Amino acid sequence: LEFVAELAESYAQLESAKSVVVVGGGAVGIELAADIKCDFHDKSVTLVHSRALPLPGPFKDELRHNVVDILQNSIGVELVLGQRVIAQEPASADMADTLTDMPEHVSSTATDATLTLSGGQTLHGDWVVRCLGTRDKKSIINLPSSTQEPIFGANGIRVKDTMQIDDVAYPHIYACGDICSRDTVKLAGVAMYGAYIAAINIARTISSVSNDSPTLEESPLYPSKILLLMSKDHFIMQLGDEIWEKEKTRQYVSEDMGLQLSIDGLSLNKVPAAYSPFDLAPAF
């Protein structure tokens, strides 16, 4: 309920804003800036990214140039590339030096804010949203390492292909998603599959005879893959080294931009039956 209330508040702020600034040109920032401009044509929408081209990650520059062309020339988003936001007034809650809550529970939006960029330019946004990923959780994952290499390095937690932490002291601890240091694309689908592998391995470990070592599944390293939905009319996809033609990509773009697919996949349209575990017959 708190999330729904926060979402409603953010939408009200967005709806009333004449100018919007999106900070961060990753997939989320690109799609958000495009969606806002396509749904609110009269708003000024600016996307700020610290690198020369948007979309960091294992993708081709050809894809990035195509994204720039679509955003600027087809949709009308203003791009400020190669500049970092060095100050924001007022700051959003996620910019605090220390957080008392989990990073993903802290707001990354601000209203009537002025941003100072590394090149000296200033931008004003009636509504500003920072799409920079979550703050790292190194401070809450403080596990001593059995080797000279830290558990939590610059790129995240080191894990095996089984999704176990790569340290002999922690075979019972698993990590999945963006927090891992695996050399794979950071996408929700990959994170979900990593969780699936971890769940299988946890179940096998629990159900195995105490003296047995269960055979554990391994999660593959996926090729570079991304489908950017810049509104339902503008989209682009890279799979491996191939950038797909628009008509070839269209088969994966639904009218609702995948909303119903996500609802079905998460079973949000079903209400699970409430029951007590004591209602179930014991398994022997």
Side-chain angles (χ1 to χ4, degrees):
L1 292 178
E2 290 179 1
F3 172 75
V4 172
E6 181 183 342
L7 190 63
E9 180 184 7
S10 292
Y11 185 79
Q13 293 170 350
L14 167 62
E15 199 171 29
S16 63
K18 293 182 178 180
S19 60
V20 175
V21 179
V22 179
V23 182
V28 173
I30 290 169
E31 292 186 335
L32 182 59
D35 287 345
I36 293 173
K37 186 62 179 178
C38 287
D39 286 349
F40 301 95
H41 301 286
D42 295 335
K43 295 187 189 300
S44 166
V45 179
T46 303
L47 177 63
V48 181
H49 187 59
S50 60
R51 303 185 187 184
L53 289 171
L55 196 63
F59 307 109
K60 300 177 73 171
D61 278 352
E62 179 185 353
L63 180 78
R64 297 185 175 98
H65 284 294
N66 287 342
V67 168
V68 168
D69 180 60
I70 292 170
L71 288 174
Q72 284 186 322
N73 301 321
S74 298
I75 298 177
V77 173
E78 298 179 42
L79 297 182
V80 178
L81 299 175
Q83 293 204 54
R84 186 179 301 277
V85 174
I86 59 174
Q88 177 182 309
E89 182 59 41
S92 50
D94 69 317
M95 299 175 71
D97 291 335
T98 58
L99 299 179
T100 58
D101 205 347
M102 290 289 284
E104 52 266 46
H105 296 166
V106 178
S107 176
S108 59
T109 66
T111 57
D112 193 20
T114 299
L115 289 74
T116 303
L117 307 183
S118 53
Q121 179 184 359
T122 59
L123 290 174
H124 176 268
D126 295 331
W127 191 68
V128 175
V129 56
R130 289 159 48 84
C131 300
L132 301 175
T134 62
R135 296 267 288 266
D136 83 49
K137 300 176 178 64
K138 186 175 181 179
S139 61
I140 64 172
I141 303 173
N142 187 19
L143 297 174
S145 176
S146 299
T147 68
Q148 294 299 315
E149 183 182 1
I151 296 289
F152 206 127
N155 297 318
I157 298 174
R158 68 174 197 263
V159 294
K160 302 177 182 179
D161 290 341
T162 56
M163 310 313 298
Q164 295 165 292
I165 289 183
D166 189 9
D167 190 291
V168 295
Y170 310 109
H172 59 297
I173 301 180
Y174 292 74
C176 314
D178 292 4
I179 201 168
C180 298
S181 63
R182 302 184 81 221
D183 187 21
T184 188
V185 64
K186 307 288 189 181
L187 290 175
V190 175
M192 290 171 66
Y193 191 75
Y196 168 73
I197 294 296
I200 289 176
N201 291 338
I202 291 170
R204 287 183 181 177
T205 301
I206 292 173
S207 61
S208 66
V209 179
S210 59
N211 292 329
D212 284 352
S213 295
T215 301
L216 301 182
E217 294 286 331
E218 295 186 352
S219 179
L221 292 174
Y222 289 90
S224 302
K225 179 179 74 171
I226 193 166
L227 169 60
L228 283 175
L229 297 175
M230 294 170 280
S231 81
K232 63 183 180 182
D233 297 319
H234 304 284
F235 42 84
I236 191 168
M237 181 171 180
Q238 178 179 329
L239 179 58
D241 290 330
E242 181 184 2
I243 298 174
W244 285 23
E245 296 291 337
K246 186 172 183 178
E247 291 309 311
K248 184 178 179 181
T249 306
R250 191 180 296 276
Q251 62 184 304
Y252 296 104
V253 181
S254 56
E255 184 67 20
D256 67 356
M257 298 172 65
L259 176 60
Q260 190 59 51
L261 183 66
S262 298
I263 290 173
D264 293 342
L266 295 172
S267 297
L268 296 180
N269 55 351
K270 300 175 183 177
V271 179
Y275 65 88
S276 165
F278 300 103
D279 294 336
L280 302 178
F284 295 103

